[in-house]
Amino acid sequence: CCFMVKCKTGKKILLGLLIVAVAIAVIATVVNFGVYKSLLKKGSEYNKVEIENQLVPEKDENDNWYFTTDGDFKVMHITDVHIGGGWMSYGKDLKTLNAVATMVTREKPDLVVATGDIAYPVFFQAGTFNNYSGAKIFANLMEKLGVYWTVTFGNHDAEPYSYFDREAVAEFYEKEEYKYCLFQAGPEDVDGYGNHIIEVKNSEGIITQAMVLIDSQAYINDSIIESIKGTYDNIHPNQVEWYETEIKRMNAENSKTIKGIQGDANGGLFEQYGTVKTLAFFHIPLVEMADAWSEFEKNKFKDTENFKYFEGIIAEGGRRVYCGYGEDDLFEKMLELGSTKAMFNGHDHINNTTFEYKGIIFSYGYSIDYFAYSGIDKLGSQRGCTMITCKPDATFTIDKY
C-alpha cells in the first residue's frame, strides 16, 4: 500500500514537471516569435544604400553570376555575424543589425560576402534552436539595404541540434524573393552547400577577377558530440576537384575571349589574364593558416622566406588557429594552379591578421559577434569589415576598417 502511494505521488510529480516544461516551451516559442518579428521590423527600417550607377549582375551560360565593369569592383568581407534571433540575444542582435547596416551604408560595396555563422542558434546563449530566424533576419536587412550579397556557411549556421539542416538553409538563401542574394547551393555531386563562383568581367568579356566561395564544412561526422567538442571538419577532396575544374574552365573561357580579340598574337592580354585571378572565401581557416603563423612565431615574429607579415594579431587562446582537425589539398592545389592570390575566412573572432604565405595572402575577417564570446560586446578591436578593391588589371587591394 505504501509503495502504491509513493508510485502515484511520483507520477503526479512527473506529470507536473512535464506540464511545467510544456508551458515553458510554449511561452519561449511565443516570446521568441515576438523577438523575431521585432528584429525583422528593425531591419526593414534602414534606408536603401544609394550607389551611383550600381552594377547589376547577370548569369552566364554556366549559371554563374557575373558583373561587368571596366572600373574598380568593391567587395566587402564580413564574418561571424552571429544573429541569435531569440529572447536572450535580442539587445545584441539589434547592435549587430546596426553594425552591418552602418558599414554597408558607408562603404557602398558592389558585393558583400559574409563568410559564415550568420545565425547562432545556441540555446543557452540565444534562447532558441531556430537557425531560420537568424538567416531570415540577416537576409531581410540585406535586401532592405539593396546591395548584392552572398554567404558561405559556417559551423553554427546549421548546428546538429538546430531546427534546419544545411540543405534547408541553402534552399532558403536561394529563394527568388531575395533579388539581391547571389548565393547558389552549388553542384549536387560536390560535398557541402554554397560552393559557387561570382565573376567580374570587363566590357570585352575578359574575366578580370573571380570570387570562389567554398563550404568549409562544420564538424567531423556532423554529430552533436563533435559540435560540443569543436572537432572541425576540412574542405573535402571533391570540393578541391570542383575548385580545379572551375579554375580551368575560367582559364579556357578567358583564352577563347582573348583569342577573339587579338587572334593568335602573343600579346600582353594572355600574360595578364590567361590565368584568371581569383579570391577565395570560406569560414574555417585552412591548416596552413596555423602552420604559417607557427613559423612566424618560431622566428620570433620576424618574416621568413615563406612568410610576410602585413597587419593584425592572433589572439585566440588554446589552439590559436581553430582550423580543421584533418588535412586537405586545397592550398597545394592553389599553389599548383597559380590562380588564387588571397583567401578570406572567419571563425576565430579575435584573430584578425593578414599575411602572405608562399605567395598567397591569408586574411582573417573582422567578426561582427556581440555575444558568442563572453564580454565580446565590449571588445571593439575585432569588430569591422574588410574592403577588397578589385582593379581592372586583375590586381587588388585590402583595407580593414
Side-chain angles (χ1 to χ4, degrees):
C1 182
C2 181
F3 174 77
M4 291 178 64
V5 171
K6 288 181 178 179
C7 185
K8 288 180 179 179
T9 301
K11 287 182 178 179
K12 288 181 178 179
I13 292 173
L14 288 175
L15 180 61
L17 291 174
L18 179 61
I19 292 172
V20 170
V22 171
I24 291 174
V26 170
I27 292 171
T29 299
V30 172
V31 172
N32 280 335
F33 183 73
V35 166
Y36 164 70
K37 297 296 287 185
S38 177
L39 289 168
L40 286 179
K41 182 176 182 295
K42 178 62 178 177
S44 298
E45 292 173 356
Y46 290 97
N47 295 323
K48 185 181 186 305
V49 178
E50 297 299 327
I51 301 177
E52 188 176 355
N53 299 319
Q54 184 177 22
L55 299 175
V56 178
E58 301 176 78
K59 274 193 174 180
D60 63 16
E61 60 186 13
N62 300 298
D63 203 37
N64 292 319
W65 288 106
Y66 71 94
F67 291 83
T68 300
T69 180
D70 290 323
D72 291 348
F73 185 83
K74 294 172 62 178
V75 180
M76 173 182 282
H77 173 217
I78 59 175
T79 193
D80 295 271
V81 178
H82 279 247
I83 297 174
W87 66 273
M88 293 175 67
S89 62
Y90 177 70
K92 292 175 181 178
D93 287 342
L94 288 175
K95 293 180 181 179
T96 295
L97 295 180
N98 189 62
V100 173
T102 299
M103 290 187 295
V104 173
T105 301
R106 176 174 177 175
E107 298 300 330
K108 296 177 171 48
D110 297 300
L111 175 69
V112 175
V113 178
T115 53
D117 285 5
I118 308 303
Y120 188 66
V122 178
F123 184 81
F124 70 90
Q125 288 179 288
T128 181
F129 293 111
N130 191 344
N131 52 331
Y132 176 92
S133 296
K136 175 69 176 179
I137 291 163
F138 180 76
N140 177 66
L141 172 66
M142 294 305 299
E143 291 296 300
K144 182 62 178 179
L145 294 175
V147 174
Y148 292 99
W149 60 282
T150 191
V151 304
T152 64
F153 284 171
N155 51 296
H156 290 303
D157 286 299
E159 292 280 6
Y161 49 75
S162 57
Y163 288 170
F164 301 92
D165 62 17
R166 294 165 86 83
E167 182 178 6
V169 178
E171 290 176 358
F172 163 78
Y173 281 124
E174 285 191 310
K175 286 184 176 181
E176 290 184 1
E177 66 186 87
Y178 299 135
K179 66 178 183 178
Y180 291 98
C181 182
L182 306 185
F183 174 88
Q184 293 180 292
E188 293 183 358
D189 59 348
V190 177
D191 291 347
Y193 296 91
N195 303 302
H196 61 295
I197 305 288
I198 298 176
E199 301 170 353
V200 181
K201 299 182 180 182
N202 64 21
S203 57
E204 294 183 298
I206 296 173
I207 304 169
T208 58
Q209 194 69 253
M211 272 48 74
V212 181
L213 301 111
I214 304 173
D215 182 359
S216 57
Q217 307 298 330
Y219 311 102
I220 294 175
N221 300 324
D222 286 328
S223 72
I224 293 178
I225 293 176
E226 300 302 339
S227 73
I228 294 171
K229 290 165 58 179
T231 311
Y232 302 112
D233 201 356
N234 300 79
I235 292 170
H236 293 182
N238 63 11
Q239 292 178 279
V240 178
E241 293 173 6
W242 168 82
Y243 166 83
E244 179 177 15
T245 298
E246 286 299 301
I247 298 301
K248 290 181 176 179
R249 174 193 62 78
M250 289 187 286
N251 288 347
E253 182 179 323
N254 259 14
S255 294
K256 181 179 179 181
T257 302
I258 293 168
K259 188 174 181 179
I261 296 171
Q262 64 182 33
D264 294 321
N266 292 321
L269 291 179
F270 279 107
E271 182 177 350
Q272 188 172 11
Y273 302 112
T275 298
V276 173
K277 305 302 185 295
T278 58
L279 306 173
F281 297 84
F282 40 82
H283 182 69
I284 298 174
L286 299 184
V287 172
E288 285 78 11
M289 174 75 86
D291 294 342
W293 191 259
S294 177
E295 182 175 313
F296 185 50
E297 282 186 322
K298 289 177 181 178
N299 200 45
K300 298 180 180 179
F301 298 100
K302 295 179 181 178
D303 289 354
T304 69
E305 181 180 350
N306 294 322
F307 187 103
K308 183 178 180 181
Y309 175 80
F310 293 139
E311 64 176 322
I313 58 173
I314 296 286
E316 292 277 349
R319 294 176 61 204
R320 311 280 279 157
V321 173
Y322 285 80
C323 53
Y325 273 76
E327 296 284 344
D328 63 66
D329 296 323
L330 181 60
F331 184 66
E332 289 79 6
K333 186 59 65 176
M334 288 177 173
L335 292 177
E336 176 189 330
L337 297 176
S339 170
T340 298
K341 300 303 179 184
M343 65 185 81
F344 303 86
N345 65 269
H347 190 54
D348 300 329
H349 299 196
I350 51 178
N351 290 350
N352 57 32
T353 187
T354 298
F355 58 77
E356 183 180 294
Y357 183 61
K358 295 185 178 180
I360 298 178
I361 292 173
F362 288 67
S363 184
Y364 269 108
Y366 285 132
S367 69
I368 307 297
D369 175 28
Y370 274 95
F371 79 103
Y373 283 26
S374 178
I376 201 167
D377 59 316
K378 299 178 179 63
L379 178 65
S381 60
Q382 97 298 340
R383 190 169 296 110
C385 65
T386 303
M387 291 302 302
I388 308 153
T389 303
C390 302
K391 302 290 185 179
D393 63 357
T395 61
F396 62 92
T397 60
I398 300 173
D399 296 286
K400 291 190 175 185
Y401 301 104

